[in-house]
Amino acid sequence: ERAGTVATLVAEGHLEQAEGYTLALRMCESGEQWEWAVRLLEMCRQGPGLEVETCNTGIAACAKALQWQHSLEVLDEMSRVRVPVDVASYHGAASACSRSGQWEAAIAVLESAQGAAAADGETYAIGMMACASAEAWAAAVSLLAAADKSPTPGAARDELTYGIAVFGCERGGAWPWCLHLLEEMRSGATEPDAVTLACASKACATGGNAAAAKAVLAELRSRRLGDSAASVLEEASWVTDGPEMQRPVPLSALAAMAPKEVNVYKYVAKRATPGDIDSVLEAIEDFART
């Protein structure tokens, strides 16, 4: 439907200014129509000319469809044709690389953003998440270690960046590093959240260190953050897998940020049939009546 609307806008000649192209590109982003996004950017380039908001929206549209190469091409062109590249430009490009498992490209974007003084703590965290998700745990740990001395404003060794590093170590099977990072967090007065503890417990269990896994699980339970590593990570997975996820956050913070949404998800997940939209809608209606 959105692609049809975009086609109508083009056919009827409504796209005469960059703002119109930006609106059309937002429709492409919502509908994951990256081919239209690329076409619209070309039309804007030949028409009114590219502007920063138009380019950023195009980058985001390509990122959502996992077309990381196209996102990088737009970012590169912005510099070549002297369209201002801002923090949002780098966020979108780094996110595109992260979502597509291209951690080295994400780090390259982070380095470019730092060189242009257009990086912030979120850009840094996206770079770390790209490494962690791709099981490049050593790179994630290195970025964590360098965070406090980074020229990037907002980069720090905090709950978020430690959590990402522990997640990366769990993904990469580096359970000793999970324990080391937990100890480092405690010594620095940074309290690990539920997901960080669950990742560490899972890593130890998978790596054959049952005693360490049990000890971390005991902390999780004593702080009343969850009953098991599996249940905590299951609840968190809908965020990391969600196509709307634009930025990394401490996953266990979601309950405090959006308690109703988390409760809706739990309710629907238990009662609806996966892939059956009717059962999902019925479960949502049941939740609204309770």
Side-chain angles (χ1 to χ4, degrees):
E1 181 179 345
R2 290 187 177 92
T5 303
V6 171
T8 300
L9 290 173
V10 173
E12 295 181 356
H14 293 300
L15 304 181
E16 297 180 355
Q17 297 182 340
E19 290 81 359
Y21 283 95
T22 301
L23 175 61
L25 283 162
R26 288 200 180 102
M27 294 181 185
C28 295
E29 180 186 1
S30 299
E32 298 187 36
Q33 299 291 328
W34 70 269
E35 296 96 338
W36 264 110
V38 172
R39 180 177 175 184
L40 285 167
L41 285 170
E42 177 60 29
M43 294 173 63
C44 186
R45 186 181 297 114
Q46 297 176 2
L50 297 173
E51 295 185 359
V52 59
E53 188 64 26
T54 308
C55 291
N56 287 353
T57 308
I59 288 173
C62 293
K64 191 167 183 180
L66 305 182
Q67 296 295 318
W68 63 278
Q69 299 99 325
H70 288 294
S71 291
L72 294 185
E73 287 172 5
V74 177
L75 183 69
D76 181 62
E77 182 177 9
M78 291 174 74
S79 298
R80 286 190 286 104
V81 300
R82 298 185 179 180
V83 174
V85 183
D86 60 14
V87 173
S89 311
Y90 287 110
H91 282 179
S95 179
C97 298
S98 178
R99 291 179 180 192
S100 303
Q102 302 295 323
W103 68 271
E104 292 170 308
I107 296 303
V109 172
L110 171 60
E111 291 174 349
S112 296
Q114 290 173 327
D120 61 7
E122 185 176 335
T123 320
Y124 202 88
I126 292 172
M128 285 190 64
M129 184 64 84
C131 298
S133 299
E135 301 181 16
W137 65 270
V141 170
S142 295
L143 284 171
L144 174 68
D148 288 340
K149 297 180 180 180
S150 170
T152 302
R157 288 187 291 177
D158 55 17
E159 181 186 15
L160 171 59
T161 52
Y162 270 111
I164 294 172
V166 171
F167 169 66
C169 291
E170 182 271 314
R171 296 267 295 181
W175 65 264
W177 269 98
C178 289
L179 296 179
H180 172 77
L181 292 173
L182 286 182
E183 187 59 33
E184 192 174 289
M185 290 180 77
R186 297 186 185 100
S187 65
T190 301
E191 196 167 53
D193 66 15
V195 176
T196 301
L197 291 171
C199 284
S201 180
K202 180 183 177 182
C204 292
T206 303
N209 191 333
K214 186 176 180 180
V216 176
L217 182 59
E219 179 180 350
L220 182 76
R221 291 171 174 169
S222 68
R223 291 173 54 197
R224 298 183 179 180
L225 296 176
D227 294 324
S228 68
S231 63
V232 170
L233 294 176
E234 182 180 359
E235 290 180 13
S237 66
W238 71 282
V239 182
T240 54
D241 293 340
E244 298 300 328
M245 188 61 176
Q246 296 288 336
R247 55 183 293 179
V249 296
L251 301 183
S252 61
L254 286 173
M257 293 165 56
K260 184 175 181 179
E261 287 79 358
V262 171
N263 288 335
V264 169
Y265 170 77
K266 291 180 180 178
Y267 188 93
V268 172
K270 289 180 179 179
R271 291 164 177 79
T273 302
D276 185 347
I277 187 63
D278 291 331
S279 70
V280 171
L281 293 174
E282 184 178 350
I284 293 174
E285 290 172 356
D286 288 344
F287 178 85
R289 288 192 289 267
T290 59

